[in-house]
Amino acid sequence: KIDVGLFFELTGTSLTKLVLLGSVRATIADLGDDIPKLLQLRFDVVGLVDFPKSIVEVDATLINSKALYTFHLTGDLAFRIGWGSRPYLLLSFGGFHPRFDPKPAQFPSLTRLALTLDTAMAGLFFRAEAYLAITSNTVQFGGRLEVGYKLGPFNLVGFLGLDAIIQFS
Protein backbone atom coordinates (compact mmCIF):
# COMPACT_ATOMS: atom_id res chain seq x y z
CA LYS A 1 0.00 0.00 0.00
CA ILE A 2 1.30 3.44 -0.91
CA ASP A 3 -0.01 6.77 0.37
CA VAL A 4 1.41 9.82 -1.42
CA GLY A 5 0.98 13.57 -1.28
CA LEU A 6 2.49 15.79 -3.97
CA PHE A 7 3.00 19.53 -3.47
CA PHE A 8 4.04 22.15 -6.02
CA GLU A 9 5.79 25.49 -5.52
CA LEU A 10 5.25 28.08 -8.23
CA THR A 11 7.10 31.36 -8.63
CA GLY A 12 5.16 33.43 -11.10
CA THR A 13 4.35 30.97 -13.85
CA SER A 14 7.44 28.77 -13.25
CA LEU A 15 7.46 25.53 -11.33
CA THR A 16 10.35 25.83 -8.84
CA LYS A 17 9.86 22.87 -6.49
CA LEU A 18 8.06 19.55 -6.22
CA VAL A 19 7.70 17.93 -2.79
CA LEU A 20 6.55 14.35 -2.24
CA LEU A 21 5.45 13.02 1.15
CA GLY A 22 4.42 9.42 1.54
CA SER A 23 4.30 6.11 3.28
CA VAL A 24 5.01 2.73 1.69
CA ARG A 25 3.84 -0.44 3.45
CA ALA A 26 4.31 -4.08 2.51
CA THR A 27 3.45 -7.29 4.35
CA ILE A 28 4.26 -10.92 3.67
CA ALA A 29 1.95 -13.07 5.79
CA ASP A 30 2.07 -16.73 6.76
CA LEU A 31 -0.89 -18.73 5.47
CA GLY A 32 -2.04 -19.77 8.94
CA ASP A 33 -5.50 -19.04 10.35
CA ASP A 34 -4.56 -15.95 12.37
CA ILE A 35 -2.26 -14.67 9.55
CA PRO A 36 0.92 -13.78 11.44
CA LYS A 37 3.25 -11.50 9.54
CA LEU A 38 6.56 -13.00 8.33
CA LEU A 39 7.69 -9.58 7.10
CA GLN A 40 6.13 -6.23 7.83
CA LEU A 41 7.73 -3.13 6.27
CA ARG A 42 6.83 0.54 6.49
CA PHE A 43 8.91 3.33 4.95
CA ASP A 44 8.03 6.97 5.49
CA VAL A 45 9.34 8.99 2.54
CA VAL A 46 10.01 12.64 1.73
CA GLY A 47 11.25 13.76 -1.67
CA LEU A 48 12.18 17.09 -3.20
CA VAL A 49 12.94 18.30 -6.71
CA ASP A 50 14.43 21.81 -6.59
CA PHE A 51 14.72 23.13 -10.15
CA PRO A 52 16.66 26.36 -9.39
CA LYS A 53 19.26 24.39 -7.37
CA SER A 54 19.28 21.49 -9.91
CA ILE A 55 18.87 18.75 -7.27
CA VAL A 56 16.67 15.79 -6.43
CA GLU A 57 16.58 14.53 -2.83
CA VAL A 58 14.71 11.51 -1.46
CA ASP A 59 14.89 10.30 2.17
CA ALA A 60 13.13 7.29 3.72
CA THR A 61 13.04 5.74 7.19
CA LEU A 62 11.86 2.31 8.31
CA ILE A 63 9.07 2.66 10.91
CA ASN A 64 7.42 -0.12 12.97
CA SER A 65 8.92 -2.86 10.79
CA LYS A 66 9.43 -6.50 11.81
CA ALA A 67 10.75 -9.74 10.32
CA LEU A 68 10.15 -13.38 11.27
CA TYR A 69 7.87 -12.41 14.16
CA THR A 70 10.72 -11.43 16.54
CA PHE A 71 13.18 -9.10 14.78
CA HIS A 72 12.83 -5.32 14.68
CA LEU A 73 13.94 -3.66 11.42
CA THR A 74 15.29 -0.10 11.48
CA GLY A 75 17.32 2.15 9.22
CA ASP A 76 17.39 4.96 6.69
CA LEU A 77 17.68 5.27 2.92
CA ALA A 78 18.62 8.33 0.88
CA PHE A 79 19.12 9.35 -2.75
CA ARG A 80 20.67 12.52 -4.15
CA ILE A 81 21.29 13.65 -7.72
CA GLY A 82 22.62 17.00 -8.85
CA TRP A 83 22.78 18.09 -12.45
CA GLY A 84 24.22 21.59 -12.04
CA SER A 85 27.82 22.77 -12.42
CA ARG A 86 29.10 19.92 -10.17
CA PRO A 87 26.95 16.88 -11.04
CA TYR A 88 26.76 13.96 -8.61
CA LEU A 89 24.80 10.80 -7.88
CA LEU A 90 24.48 9.21 -4.42
CA LEU A 91 22.28 6.29 -3.33
CA SER A 92 22.62 4.89 0.16
CA PHE A 93 20.89 2.17 2.12
CA GLY A 94 22.05 2.69 5.72
CA GLY A 95 24.92 5.14 5.23
CA PHE A 96 28.40 5.29 3.78
CA HIS A 97 31.88 3.95 4.46
CA PRO A 98 33.10 5.71 7.66
CA ARG A 99 35.83 7.63 5.78
CA PHE A 100 33.68 8.73 2.82
CA ASP A 101 32.64 12.39 2.48
CA PRO A 102 29.57 12.80 0.19
CA LYS A 103 30.22 16.49 -0.66
CA PRO A 104 29.13 18.46 -2.66
CA ALA A 105 25.78 16.81 -1.87
CA GLN A 106 23.96 17.80 1.31
CA PHE A 107 23.50 14.34 2.77
CA PRO A 108 21.81 13.53 6.09
CA SER A 109 23.40 11.29 8.69
CA LEU A 110 21.81 7.87 8.07
CA THR A 111 21.07 5.12 10.56
CA ARG A 112 22.43 1.74 9.46
CA LEU A 113 19.89 -0.84 8.29
CA ALA A 114 19.56 -3.11 11.30
CA LEU A 115 17.93 -6.31 12.44
CA THR A 116 17.59 -6.48 16.23
CA LEU A 117 16.35 -9.47 18.21
CA ASP A 118 13.22 -8.83 20.22
CA THR A 119 13.52 -11.55 22.85
CA ALA A 120 11.94 -12.30 26.19
CA MET A 121 15.09 -14.13 27.30
CA ALA A 122 16.68 -11.86 29.90
CA GLY A 123 20.17 -10.74 29.07
CA LEU A 124 20.56 -12.09 25.51
CA PHE A 125 20.94 -9.58 22.69
CA PHE A 126 21.61 -9.75 18.95
CA ARG A 127 22.03 -7.01 16.35
CA ALA A 128 23.04 -7.17 12.70
CA GLU A 129 23.50 -3.93 10.79
CA ALA A 130 24.57 -3.15 7.24
CA TYR A 131 24.95 -0.47 4.60
CA LEU A 132 25.26 -0.30 0.83
CA ALA A 133 26.08 2.90 -1.05
CA ILE A 134 26.53 3.66 -4.72
CA THR A 135 27.96 6.96 -5.92
CA SER A 136 29.16 8.32 -9.26
CA ASN A 137 32.53 6.60 -8.78
CA THR A 138 32.29 4.24 -5.78
CA VAL A 139 30.54 1.17 -4.46
CA GLN A 140 30.56 0.87 -0.66
CA PHE A 141 29.31 -1.83 1.65
CA GLY A 142 29.77 -3.02 5.17
CA GLY A 143 28.16 -4.35 8.25
CA ARG A 144 28.49 -5.40 11.85
CA LEU A 145 27.21 -8.40 13.76
CA GLU A 146 26.97 -8.14 17.54
CA VAL A 147 25.96 -10.87 19.97
CA GLY A 148 26.05 -10.68 23.73
CA TYR A 149 24.73 -11.66 27.09
CA LYS A 150 24.20 -9.40 30.11
CA LEU A 151 24.13 -10.86 33.60
CA GLY A 152 23.95 -8.29 36.37
CA PRO A 153 27.04 -6.08 36.23
CA PHE A 154 28.80 -8.43 33.77
CA ASN A 155 28.60 -8.27 29.98
CA LEU A 156 29.88 -10.77 27.45
CA VAL A 157 29.94 -9.23 23.96
CA GLY A 158 31.34 -10.37 20.63
CA PHE A 159 31.24 -8.60 17.30
CA LEU A 160 32.44 -8.88 13.73
CA GLY A 161 32.57 -5.94 11.34
CA LEU A 162 33.47 -5.11 7.75
CA ASP A 163 33.79 -1.82 5.83
CA ALA A 164 34.71 -1.81 2.13
CA ILE A 165 34.93 0.86 -0.54
CA ILE A 166 35.66 0.31 -4.22
CA GLN A 167 36.59 3.45 -6.13
CA PHE A 168 36.50 3.71 -9.93
CA SER A 169 38.71 6.16 -11.81
Side-chain angles (χ1 to χ4, degrees):
K1 182 176 181 180
I2 299 174
D3 295 322
V4 175
L6 189 59
F7 304 89
F8 303 92
E9 179 181 277
L10 301 169
T11 303
T13 59
S14 300
L15 177 63
T16 55
K17 289 183 186 173
L18 290 173
V19 177
L20 175 124
L21 299 174
S23 183
V24 178
R25 291 175 298 287
T27 301
I28 297 175
D30 196 351
L31 298 178
D33 293 336
D34 56 358
I35 309 179
K37 296 171 178 74
L38 291 174
L39 181 64
Q40 182 177 355
L41 296 176
R42 176 182 161 195
F43 281 101
D44 284 353
V45 180
V46 61
L48 168 72
V49 179
D50 190 328
F51 294 104
K53 291 184 179 178
S54 303
I55 58 172
V56 174
E57 300 178 346
V58 178
D59 297 320
T61 299
L62 275 168
I63 305 290
N64 296 328
S65 297
K66 292 189 97 162
L68 301 175
Y69 315 114
T70 58
F71 291 99
H72 289 285
L73 299 173
T74 56
D76 297 325
L77 314 172
F79 172 74
R80 300 287 186 272
I81 189 166
W83 64 86
S85 60
R86 293 181 64 189
Y88 56 84
L89 170 72
L90 300 158
L91 173 63
S92 177
F93 301 90
F96 294 101
H97 186 279
R99 295 186 182 161
F100 180 77
D101 184 2
K103 288 188 175 128
Q106 297 295 315
F107 219 88
S109 177
L110 299 179
T111 302
R112 297 278 192 241
L113 297 176
L115 180 83
T116 307
L117 180 63
D118 180 20
T119 179
M121 292 185 284
L124 180 64
F125 62 91
F126 170 84
R127 180 175 174 86
E129 59 183 34
Y131 67 92
L132 170 66
I134 299 168
T135 71
S136 303
N137 67 338
T138 68
V139 174
Q140 307 167 37
F141 57 91
R144 179 180 169 103
L145 178 65
E146 185 175 337
V147 178
Y149 188 76
K150 294 179 184 178
L151 182 61
F154 301 103
N155 292 324
L156 177 63
V157 179
F159 69 90
L160 177 64
L162 166 74
D163 290 301
I165 185 168
I166 301 166
Q167 187 165 4
F168 305 103
S169 56

